Amino acid sequence: MDMHDSGSRIVVGVDGSPSSHAALRWAVRYAGLVGASVDAVAAWDLPGARSWSAPAVDTDFDEEQAERGLVEEVRDVLGRSGASQVHERLVRGDPAEVLLDAAEGAEALVVGSRGRGGFRRALLGSVSHRCATHATCPVVIVRPETGAGKEDEPRTS
């Protein structure tokens, strides 16, 4: 994984969910306050790649297209000028493990409270919970925005 050589970094998980969009906006605002760079990290993995099933093949997955999608998502959420402050990274692997590795030595790890899957009623998603309990840096968990003009409410651990 490439790391920035100078200054502090904020790592933020991006998965296309409203929570991750709120986390991305929060991370960029915070980075501006503390003079840090922002790494927007998205993870991908093949279904069944970590199980006892047969080798997984996803003929529909196009890594270059996914990288372009990540860049477009960041631009859509932050606008062109905001997106210019962010370094996008698409990494293959388990999302929580990818984020925990990326956050080594970071000022903070910022994640959304709920991702794209799982149980809608749960307070935390499995990735945000694993990050909060295993990260070596402070973790900020951001809930999705609930209305126009309402600020994100970070949860730290």
Side-chain angles (χ1 to χ4, degrees), residues 89-147:
R89 294 176 43 208
L90 179 68
V91 181
R92 182 178 177 183
D94 173 75
E97 291 175 21
V98 165
L99 291 172
L100 291 167
D101 287 346
E104 284 291 324
E107 175 88 12
L109 171 59
V110 183
V111 294
S113 60
R114 299 283 317 130
R116 296 176 74 172
F119 302 100
R120 298 270 181 225
R121 288 192 190 172
L123 293 175
L124 286 179
S126 61
V127 172
S128 58
H129 182 263
R130 284 174 59 198
C131 288
T133 57
H134 297 290
T136 58
C137 64
V139 176
V140 179
I141 301 173
V142 180
R143 298 178 60 106
E145 296 155 339
T146 58

Side-chain angles (χ1 to χ4, degrees), residues 20-21 28 33 52 55 58-59 64-65 122 149 156:
S20 78
H21 293 169
V28 169
L33 294 172
W52 288 98
D58 187 348
T59 57
E64 288 180 16
Q65 182 178 352
T156 59

Side-chain angles (χ1 to χ4, degrees), residues 8-12 26-27 30-31 34 36-40 106-110:
S8 60
R9 294 179 306 116
I10 307 299
V11 174
V12 58
W26 194 95
Y30 180 71
V34 300
S37 62
V38 177
D39 287 343
E107 175 88 12
L109 171 59
V110 183

